[in-house]
Amino acid sequence: MELSGAQILLQSLADEGVEYIFGYPGGAVLHIYDAIFQQEAVKHILVRHEQGATHAADGYARATGKPGVVLVTSGPGATNAVTGIATAYMDSIPMVVISGQVSSPVIGSDAFQEVDMVGITRPCVKHNFLVKDVTKLAETIKKAFYVATTGRPGPVVVDIPKDITAPNITVPYKYPKKIALRSYNPVVNVPKEQIKAAVELLLNANKPMIYSGGGVVLGEASAELTEFTQQLGYPITNTLMGLGSYPATDKQFVGMLGMHGTYEANMAMHESDVIIAIGARFDDRVTGKLDEFCPYAKIIHIDIDPASISKTIKKIAIPIVGDVKPVLKQLLECLKDSKKKPNKKALDAWWQQINEWRSVNSLEYDRNSDLIKPQYVIEQLYQVTKGDAYITSDVGQHQMWAAQYYHFDKPRRWINSGGLGTMGFGLPAAIGVKLAFPDADVACVTGEASIQMCIQELSTALQFKTPVKIINLNNRYMGMVRQWQEFSYECRYSHSYMDTIPDFVKLAEAYGHVGIRIDKPEQVRPALEQAFAMKDRTVFLDIMTDRTENVYPMIEAGKGHHDMKLRVALGTSTDRELA
Amino acid sequence: MMRHIISILIENESGALSRVAGLFSARGYNIESLTVAPTEDPSLSRMTLVTRGSEDIIAQITKQLNKLIDVVKLIDLADSPHIERELMMVKIKTTEQTRNDIRSVVDIFRGRILDVTPSSYVVEMTGSSEKLDAFTAAINHDTIIEVVRSGATGISRGEKGLHL
């Protein structure tokens, strides 16, 4: 079968099982778009900005575990995609981005819409390719998917010059079934001795902690993690990226840890004597001040990426490089074979201590306020969706509240930009999720600042009928920036507010959706119920929340886990004068 | 801050060098020298990279390098007995009075004179980087017109080698 480069690309994507491709046309990819027009296997989702394409593909990937696929044109199309690529890179999300490039003969001549995409994306991709020969195209696509989805996943860019996809040049097509790269071997076997040593250390612990992260979600190891945790009876905390990998409503779950983690999670980490880190990378938002991180703990660290081990926290007692799922299986097996059992007396005392920390109730907030508390909105969202929705978020206070108050019991339900912290992520990501799961409830928890960064995707949501619910916690501030300015800059609120916020109800309506404004606490619940009842409509809930609310608890920059800022007295935040 | 010589076998692809160089600048590691050339297998390049850092940093550098898809294999030569060589060419101003003195210094360092004019020598020298430093230190600084150094390359001693 002889095909043109453009046809080879589409056929390769089809053979790879790609369902959706998120993209935006332009000069360098016109041959490809012509091939898209003439096939049906791969559905193209036309976004309104290339950043939206990458985030939508990313949301799709996070919700399904399958790689997200993006198609953009050269030059500005390619550079617009970079933020989304970096977002996926920081959170290890499998993604394949096809970018058009100017024709091979003019590369390097500053041609119209030329940019060195391979050079620009090099530091924020797992790998990238420039296709120089149409006969290598199918193989390169196969390599791209292989690299993106194996080992520690990540985005891969394939830059394709226009002449490679030209319709008049055809070559035989064969999509490789399997591919191997001599320089890339993501499979690692974990020596038994290390598993044994880890189990030994865990069973000898008096104050053990299980600290797990996004790797468990990516590695589809939630069931194993849950069994492991419940078999030991040890407390477990999740990172922001790990939420949902262990059921949040289970009694062994002590909440998220880190900068805005619960008091009990952070205190338990601080006092712990043995910590097992599973698919987590000791990110600075988790560790706080490195010198004061878990001073009494011996640490076991399981990670698929050897470079994650001893990167920030150096003192790792037992490093285990491997895929979390098989490693957890090995640990479980070893645990079953072990004659030793957890020290019940010590564990009881440890739980008693943890429950004391729990009783501080660090997530409590003023429930009697006349103003809408953002925490209340999330709690109501949780109830209305029965805790079973896919929640995407943007970045800021609303993101932390969603993480704290929506109790994720299942993996892949919490979809947010944790590593890069990309505002504008939530709406396009929600569209990607909704395409993957048309019957599921999908909500984007956002704020009036974040939502405006990719607001144009409301148009995509209409065109492709992805009825998501936008929960806009509108506090008329860039809340997290304002919070830091309150704590660290003596309330000098430099450019953290806008006094020309659009009328989101009219905006939603202008895009063909439903807009509802909510001013009073008692309106929240009925509005949410109304919104989720409208199954086939995108609904924009513009919720006027308490402008002065802060995210608590908080570990301020440069402090340790035991040094948390708790809400001082309930109900006082609204009394503060804001500029 | 120990000096390490990291020897890398890398796919001979366009952009492979920039991946390595980019990694160092992005993560704030320093490169003292970097040499790269194809090997007997034209699909592979051999890169020798000299860097300094604490044990922790060197460990991170080798892990991060290994993470690059194009990197096939690498070793830190400083971990075991090895031979290090660097090529240097130095252009030196000469006069009738200084010519013999310079020649004897070149002889002591086992260098070779490649080019002679009435007013200059071009001296070729190979050796460890320290030896080359010692030579330039032994020559009157004001007489050095230019110095070209290849950067260090290295190979381990004994039977074992870095190959596919």
Side-chain angles (χ1 to χ4, degrees):
Chain A
M1 182 170 45
E2 294 246 325
L3 297 178
S4 73
Q7 289 168 324
I8 287 174
L9 173 63
L10 266 298
Q11 194 54 51
S12 301
L13 296 179
D15 287 350
E16 195 59 48
V18 173
E19 217 182 344
Y20 290 109
I21 175 163
F22 300 86
Y24 202 100
V29 288
L30 280 175
H31 299 321
I32 300 172
Y33 271 85
D34 196 44
I36 288 176
F37 194 83
Q38 299 178 52
Q39 57 86 53
E40 277 169 3
V42 185
K43 294 188 255 331
H44 180 269
I45 305 298
L46 176 69
V47 294
R48 298 300 181 268
H49 184 289
E50 289 86 352
Q51 182 182 350
T54 46
H55 292 331
D58 184 324
Y60 174 89
R62 290 180 203 236
T64 60
K66 294 188 269 187
V69 183
V70 176
L71 171 60
V72 295
T73 192
S74 66
T79 54
N80 277 348
V82 171
T83 298
I85 295 170
T87 303
Y89 180 69
M90 288 294 273
D91 291 340
S92 307
I93 305 303
M95 186 187 281
V96 173
V97 179
I98 317 288
S99 55
Q101 182 54 277
V102 299
S103 281
S104 310
V106 296
I107 287 180
S109 69
D110 299 322
F112 177 64
Q113 293 194 328
E114 178 180 2
V115 73
D116 173 14
M117 185 57 169
V118 167
I120 283 177
T121 58
R122 190 177 25 75
C124 62
V125 291
K126 187 170 171 189
H127 196 56
N128 56 23
F129 298 94
L130 172 64
V131 181
K132 292 177 172 168
D133 179 353
V134 64
T135 62
K136 299 269 171 62
L137 181 57
E139 183 191 317
T140 307
I141 298 297
K142 182 75 195 176
K143 278 185 190 169
F145 278 94
Y146 173 59
V147 171
T149 55
T150 51
R152 181 179 180 174
V156 174
V157 166
V158 183
D159 201 30
I160 309 179
K162 189 171 183 181
D163 53 309
I164 300 288
T165 56
N168 55 334
I169 301 166
T170 59
V171 295
Y173 169 76
K174 192 169 176 274
Y175 196 65
K177 278 210 173 58
K178 275 186 86 176
I179 202 138
L181 292 172
R182 63 180 174 185
S183 59
Y184 174 70
N185 184 13
V187 186
V188 272
N189 293 315
V190 178
K192 267 214 174 96
E193 301 78 63
Q194 262 164 300
I195 298 288
K196 261 191 183 160
V199 167
E200 177 83 15
L201 186 57
L202 276 170
L203 292 176
N204 279 323
N206 290 321
K207 297 174 176 181
M209 272 299 279
I210 299 169
Y211 145 56
S212 74
V216 177
V217 179
L218 294 166
E220 307 283 1
S222 285
E224 289 78 6
L225 174 71
T226 306
E227 194 187 342
F228 177 73
T229 304
Q230 295 184 348
Q231 202 147 104
L232 285 166
Y234 290 176
I236 178 168
T237 179
N238 281 170
T239 67
L240 180 69
M241 297 311 296
L243 293 175
S245 59
Y246 186 86
T249 50
D250 185 81
K251 59 184 190 308
Q252 278 171 252
F253 185 65
V254 297
M256 181 171 76
L257 84 166
M259 185 171 272
H260 294 297
T262 63
Y263 184 65
E264 54 270 34
N266 285 332
M267 287 304 289
M269 285 293 283
H270 188 75
E271 296 293 329
S272 171
D273 64 350
V274 174
I275 292 169
I276 180 163
I278 307 174
R281 62 182 177 90
F282 298 88
D283 173 80
D284 58 287
R285 298 284 129 149
V286 159
T287 60
K289 191 177 182 186
L290 289 175
D291 305 342
E292 289 175 20
F293 179 76
C294 301
Y296 317 112
K298 288 197 171 101
I299 300 173
I300 303 159
H301 187 186
I302 306 168
D303 204 298
I304 198 162
D305 178 3
S308 284
I309 289 170
S310 298
K311 184 170 68 180
T312 57
I313 297 296
K314 313 286 183 198
K315 50 148 202 176
I316 301 299
I318 303 174
I320 298 177
V321 176
D323 190 351
V324 281
K325 196 181 177 91
V327 171
L328 277 168
K329 278 185 177 160
Q330 278 177 276
L331 283 168
L332 272 165
E333 214 167 287
C334 186
L335 207 54
K336 269 173 206 154
D337 295 344
S338 171
K339 287 186 195 81
K340 209 173 152 62
K341 294 282 163 252
N343 180 344
K344 187 164 183 313
K345 210 174 140 204
L347 195 56
D348 287 347
W350 181 225
W351 271 113
Q352 199 181 343
Q353 170 69 72
I354 288 170
N355 287 331
E356 260 172 54
W357 288 323
R358 257 184 184 159
S359 67
V360 168
N361 216 352
S362 62
L363 294 180
E364 193 47 60
Y365 63 93
D366 178 12
R367 291 170 191 276
N368 302 312
S369 174
D370 295 336
L371 300 171
I372 301 173
K373 289 290 182 180
Q375 299 94 330
Y376 173 74
V377 178
I378 306 295
E379 283 181 344
Q380 292 303 308
L381 174 66
Y382 176 72
Q383 288 178 18
V384 168
T385 56
K386 300 181 177 63
D388 204 29
Y390 287 84
I391 305 293
T392 72
S393 91
D394 276 301
V395 171
Q397 287 184 321
H398 66 267
Q399 177 190 25
M400 292 301 113
W401 286 318
Q404 290 174 331
Y405 297 90
Y406 199 100
H407 311 291
F408 294 93
D409 277 343
K410 294 177 190 165
R412 301 198 177 280
R413 295 301 170 107
W414 168 233
I415 287 161
N416 81 129
S417 167
L420 196 68
T422 309
M423 291 168 75
F425 175 81
L427 174 58
I431 292 171
V433 175
K434 190 69 185 175
L435 282 165
F437 299 106
D439 299 330
D441 283 334
V442 180
C444 165
V445 174
T446 183
E448 83 290 343
S450 279
I451 191 67
Q452 293 190 71
M453 285 220 185
C454 274
I455 192 83
Q456 73 286 346
E457 300 310 327
L458 281 173
S459 182
T460 308
L462 186 71
Q463 183 178 353
F464 295 95
K465 300 186 180 60
T466 53
V468 299
K469 313 303 169 195
I470 296 156
I471 315 297
N472 188 39
L473 302 177
N474 189 339
N475 62 357
R476 286 80 75 204
Y477 272 108
M478 291 161 212
M480 192 58 94
V481 173
R482 190 201 55 69
Q483 177 169 341
W484 281 61
Q485 288 170 336
E486 180 184 331
F487 290 170
S488 307
Y489 299 91
E490 298 170 319
C491 298
R492 288 186 297 277
Y493 298 125
S494 181
H495 294 270
S496 52
Y497 68 97
M498 290 173 239
D499 49 14
T500 51
I501 291 166
D503 179 337
F504 288 111
V505 172
K506 281 187 186 157
L507 187 75
E509 287 168 359
Y511 275 109
H513 303 305
V514 179
I516 303 171
R517 180 183 159 114
I518 298 148
D519 295 288
K520 297 199 177 69
E522 60 271 23
Q523 297 172 317
V524 171
R525 176 81 184 220
L528 283 166
E529 283 168 352
Q530 191 191 346
F532 283 97
M534 284 187 265
K535 291 282 176 206
D536 57 349
R537 298 299 298 274
T538 291
V539 183
F540 195 119
L541 294 182
D542 189 21
I543 307 173
M544 298 299 140
T545 59
D546 182 352
R547 308 190 71 186
T548 65
E549 191 54 274
N550 287 330
V551 181
Y552 290 103
M554 179 176 183
I555 301 172
E556 287 182 274
K559 298 207 166 153
H561 277 168
H562 58 303
D563 200 0
M564 298 196 81
K565 199 177 181 111
L566 297 172
R567 188 178 296 276
V568 185
L570 297 176
T572 55
S573 65
T574 49
D575 304 334
R576 294 190 321 269
E577 283 293 313
L578 288 188
Chain B
M1 294 283 274
M2 273 275 289
R3 180 170 177 272
H4 290 258
I5 307 170
I6 299 170
S7 199
I8 307 163
L9 214 50
I10 191 166
E11 296 287 353
N12 187 9
E13 301 264 357
S14 68
L17 175 63
S18 72
R19 289 183 208 280
V20 172
L23 172 69
F24 273 69
S25 61
R27 295 196 181 261
Y29 309 138
N30 74 72
I31 299 180
E32 227 170 75
S33 73
L34 176 63
T35 71
V36 55
T39 62
E40 80 286 0
D41 174 351
S43 72
L44 286 172
S45 288
R46 177 87 172 229
M47 208 178 265
T48 310
L49 199 153
V50 180
T51 182
R52 275 176 201 277
S54 63
E55 287 305 310
D56 286 341
I57 289 174
I58 299 297
Q60 264 298 310
I61 289 176
T62 54
K63 285 175 184 176
Q64 294 290 349
L65 282 169
N66 262 318
K67 241 173 103 169
L68 294 177
I69 305 295
D70 282 340
V71 169
V72 183
K73 269 182 184 176
L74 65 85
I75 49 164
D76 183 351
L77 286 175
D79 285 345
S80 56
H82 64 278
I83 300 156
E84 176 193 340
R85 285 292 180 272
E86 184 174 357
L87 170 72
M88 173 168 75
M89 289 186 278
V90 193
K91 192 174 282 179
I92 303 167
K93 259 188 259 175
T94 56
T95 61
E96 219 152 308
Q97 291 79 29
T98 61
R99 208 169 282 159
N100 281 340
D101 286 351
I102 292 169
R103 231 172 71 193
S104 62
V105 178
V106 170
D107 284 343
I108 292 168
F109 282 85
R110 296 173 198 274
R112 292 201 301 156
I113 294 168
L114 302 182
D115 182 59
V116 180
T117 71
S119 60
S120 72
Y121 278 158
V122 171
V123 175
E124 175 205 44
M125 191 165 295
T126 57
S128 70
S129 302
E130 287 91 346
K131 175 185 155 180
L132 305 188
D133 291 342
F135 175 75
T136 48
I139 298 289
N140 178 359
H141 186 78
D142 295 337
T143 65
I144 296 177
I145 300 169
E146 61 178 317
V147 176
V148 189
R149 292 174 69 150
S150 65
T153 59
I155 198 163
S156 60
R157 287 186 183 274
E159 208 180 326
K160 278 190 186 162
L162 184 66
H163 51 77
L164 276 183

